[in-house]
Amino acid sequence: MRPAEEFRYLVLAAQREGNRLLGQALKPLGVTSSQAEVLRLLQDRQPLTLSGLGDLLVCESGNSPSRLVERLVQAGLVRRQTLEHDRRHIELTLSQEGQELARRIAAIEDDLYAAIDALDADLEPAMAALRAFVRDLPSGQALARRVGDA
Protein backbone atom coordinates (compact mmCIF):
# COMPACT_ATOMS: atom_id res chain seq x y z
CA MET A 1 0.00 0.00 0.00
CA ARG A 2 1.38 3.40 -0.90
CA PRO A 3 1.83 5.90 1.94
CA ALA A 4 -0.81 8.24 0.47
CA GLU A 5 -3.36 5.41 0.43
CA GLU A 6 -2.56 4.37 3.99
CA PHE A 7 -2.78 8.02 5.08
CA ARG A 8 -6.23 8.29 3.51
CA TYR A 9 -7.45 5.16 5.27
CA LEU A 10 -5.89 6.15 8.59
CA VAL A 11 -7.77 9.46 8.39
CA LEU A 12 -10.99 7.61 7.58
CA ALA A 13 -10.47 5.08 10.38
CA ALA A 14 -9.66 7.79 12.93
CA GLN A 15 -12.68 9.82 11.86
CA ARG A 16 -15.04 6.85 12.07
CA GLU A 17 -13.76 5.69 15.44
CA GLY A 18 -13.77 9.22 16.86
CA ASN A 19 -17.32 9.78 15.60
CA ARG A 20 -18.40 6.40 16.96
CA LEU A 21 -16.98 7.14 20.42
CA LEU A 22 -18.43 10.64 20.48
CA GLY A 23 -21.79 9.44 19.15
CA GLN A 24 -22.04 6.79 21.86
CA ALA A 25 -21.25 9.33 24.55
CA LEU A 26 -23.75 11.86 23.16
CA LYS A 27 -26.58 9.36 22.64
CA PRO A 28 -27.94 9.65 26.22
CA LEU A 29 -28.14 13.42 25.70
CA GLY A 30 -30.28 12.99 22.57
CA VAL A 31 -28.04 15.01 20.24
CA THR A 32 -25.96 14.16 17.22
CA SER A 33 -22.30 15.12 16.88
CA SER A 34 -23.31 17.84 14.38
CA GLN A 35 -25.85 19.29 16.80
CA ALA A 36 -23.25 19.10 19.58
CA GLU A 37 -20.81 21.09 17.44
CA VAL A 38 -23.41 23.84 16.96
CA LEU A 39 -24.21 23.98 20.67
CA ARG A 40 -20.53 24.15 21.64
CA LEU A 41 -19.78 26.85 19.06
CA LEU A 42 -22.65 28.92 20.39
CA GLN A 43 -21.52 28.31 23.95
CA ASP A 44 -18.07 29.67 23.10
CA ARG A 45 -19.02 32.45 20.67
CA GLN A 46 -22.64 33.51 21.02
CA PRO A 47 -24.30 35.43 19.64
CA LEU A 48 -23.56 34.21 16.12
CA THR A 49 -25.36 34.91 12.89
CA LEU A 50 -26.54 31.93 10.89
CA SER A 51 -23.88 32.59 8.26
CA GLY A 52 -21.24 33.20 10.95
CA LEU A 53 -22.04 29.83 12.45
CA GLY A 54 -21.86 28.22 9.02
CA ASP A 55 -18.40 29.72 8.49
CA LEU A 56 -17.13 27.91 11.60
CA LEU A 57 -18.77 24.50 11.23
CA VAL A 58 -16.58 21.56 10.31
CA CYS A 59 -19.47 19.04 10.43
CA GLU A 60 -21.33 20.63 7.50
CA SER A 61 -20.29 22.07 4.20
CA GLY A 62 -21.77 25.31 2.98
CA ASN A 63 -22.36 28.41 5.01
CA SER A 64 -26.04 28.14 5.91
CA PRO A 65 -26.78 25.39 8.41
CA SER A 66 -30.49 26.26 8.44
CA ARG A 67 -31.92 22.76 8.87
CA LEU A 68 -29.46 21.84 11.59
CA VAL A 69 -30.24 25.02 13.52
CA GLU A 70 -33.99 24.63 12.94
CA ARG A 71 -33.99 21.27 14.73
CA LEU A 72 -32.21 22.84 17.70
CA VAL A 73 -34.66 25.76 17.75
CA GLN A 74 -37.61 23.35 17.69
CA ALA A 75 -36.03 21.40 20.57
CA GLY A 76 -35.82 24.62 22.61
CA LEU A 77 -32.02 24.58 22.75
CA VAL A 78 -31.29 27.55 20.49
CA ARG A 79 -33.02 30.92 20.21
CA ARG A 80 -33.22 32.59 16.82
CA GLN A 81 -33.81 36.33 16.73
CA THR A 82 -34.26 38.56 13.71
CA LEU A 83 -32.80 41.97 14.34
CA GLU A 84 -35.12 44.93 13.86
CA HIS A 85 -32.59 47.05 11.96
CA ASP A 86 -31.89 44.25 9.43
CA ARG A 87 -34.59 41.59 8.95
CA ARG A 88 -32.13 39.44 6.98
CA HIS A 89 -29.75 39.29 9.96
CA ILE A 90 -30.57 36.30 12.18
CA GLU A 91 -28.78 36.04 15.51
CA LEU A 92 -28.45 32.74 17.36
CA THR A 93 -28.02 32.22 21.11
CA LEU A 94 -28.43 29.30 23.47
CA SER A 95 -31.50 28.95 25.63
CA GLN A 96 -30.98 28.06 29.30
CA GLU A 97 -31.57 24.40 28.42
CA GLY A 98 -29.11 24.72 25.52
CA GLN A 99 -26.48 26.20 27.84
CA GLU A 100 -26.82 23.30 30.26
CA LEU A 101 -26.64 20.75 27.44
CA ALA A 102 -23.56 22.49 25.99
CA ARG A 103 -21.86 22.19 29.41
CA ARG A 104 -22.57 18.45 29.43
CA ILE A 105 -21.26 18.12 25.87
CA ALA A 106 -18.08 19.98 26.85
CA ALA A 107 -17.48 17.45 29.63
CA ILE A 108 -17.88 14.58 27.14
CA GLU A 109 -15.47 16.28 24.75
CA ASP A 110 -12.96 16.78 27.57
CA ASP A 111 -13.06 13.04 28.29
CA LEU A 112 -12.42 12.27 24.61
CA TYR A 113 -9.53 14.76 24.48
CA ALA A 114 -8.04 13.26 27.66
CA ALA A 115 -8.08 9.83 26.01
CA ILE A 116 -6.27 11.28 22.99
CA ASP A 117 -3.77 13.06 25.26
CA ALA A 118 -3.12 9.74 27.02
CA LEU A 119 -1.86 8.17 23.78
CA ASP A 120 1.59 9.52 24.66
CA ALA A 121 2.25 10.24 20.99
CA ASP A 122 3.68 13.28 19.28
CA LEU A 123 0.59 14.52 17.46
CA GLU A 124 2.24 17.52 15.81
CA PRO A 125 3.62 15.71 12.70
CA ALA A 126 0.21 14.13 12.03
CA MET A 127 -1.52 17.46 12.62
CA ALA A 128 0.86 19.22 10.24
CA ALA A 129 0.13 16.66 7.52
CA LEU A 130 -3.61 16.94 8.08
CA ARG A 131 -3.50 20.75 8.03
CA ALA A 132 -1.65 20.63 4.71
CA PHE A 133 -4.20 18.16 3.35
CA VAL A 134 -7.29 20.25 4.25
CA ARG A 135 -5.79 23.75 4.04
CA ASP A 136 -7.64 24.81 0.87
CA LEU A 137 -10.82 22.80 1.46
CA PRO A 138 -14.02 24.15 3.08
CA SER A 139 -13.75 22.09 6.28
CA GLY A 140 -10.08 22.96 6.65
CA GLN A 141 -10.84 26.64 6.19
CA ALA A 142 -13.63 26.49 8.79
CA LEU A 143 -11.26 24.86 11.27
CA ALA A 144 -8.55 27.42 10.50
CA ARG A 145 -11.03 30.21 11.30
CA ARG A 146 -11.85 28.55 14.62
CA VAL A 147 -8.22 28.00 15.54
CA GLY A 148 -7.28 31.51 14.46
CA ASP A 149 -9.93 33.03 16.70
CA ALA A 150 -9.04 30.92 19.72
Side-chain angles (χ1 to χ4, degrees):
M1 180 179 282
R2 344 175 356 187
E5 183 180 6
E6 183 179 6
F7 177 81
R8 175 180 161 236
Y9 282 108
L10 283 169
V11 168
L12 180 61
Q15 176 193 9
R16 286 192 179 184
E17 293 305 320
N19 282 342
R20 182 183 61 77
L21 290 170
L22 184 60
Q24 286 175 344
L26 292 173
K27 192 172 187 169
L29 302 182
V31 294
T32 67
S33 58
S34 295
Q35 291 169 333
E37 184 181 0
V38 169
L39 294 172
R40 289 286 289 119
L41 274 168
L42 286 172
Q43 180 187 36
D44 290 344
R45 298 165 185 258
Q46 68 181 343
L48 282 172
T49 64
L50 192 58
S51 63
L53 175 67
D55 286 344
L56 297 170
L57 284 175
V58 175
C59 70
E60 295 231 339
S61 59
N63 61 356
S64 183
S66 300
R67 283 181 281 175
L68 182 57
V69 168
E70 183 59 31
R71 285 187 212 107
L72 295 170
V73 169
Q74 289 175 355
L77 300 171
V78 171
R79 284 189 228 113
R80 181 178 45 214
Q81 181 180 11
T82 304
L83 300 182
E84 289 183 28
H85 68 278
D86 184 353
R87 307 290 293 160
R88 296 169 297 165
H89 188 86
I90 297 172
E91 199 169 77
L92 304 171
T93 57
L94 292 176
S95 67
Q96 191 65 33
E97 184 181 349
Q99 290 173 14
E100 175 55 34
L101 188 54
R103 281 191 285 278
R104 294 174 69 191
I105 292 166
I108 288 169
E109 290 176 343
D110 285 342
D111 289 345
L112 178 60
Y113 303 149
I116 294 169
D117 290 338
L119 294 174
D120 194 32
D122 182 7
L123 298 179
E124 193 51 47
M127 290 170 48
L130 291 168
R131 281 186 206 107
F133 183 67
V134 301
R135 179 176 295 121
D136 297 325
L137 303 172
S139 293
Q141 292 168 348
L143 182 57
R145 283 188 287 275
R146 286 168 65 170
V147 170
D149 289 347

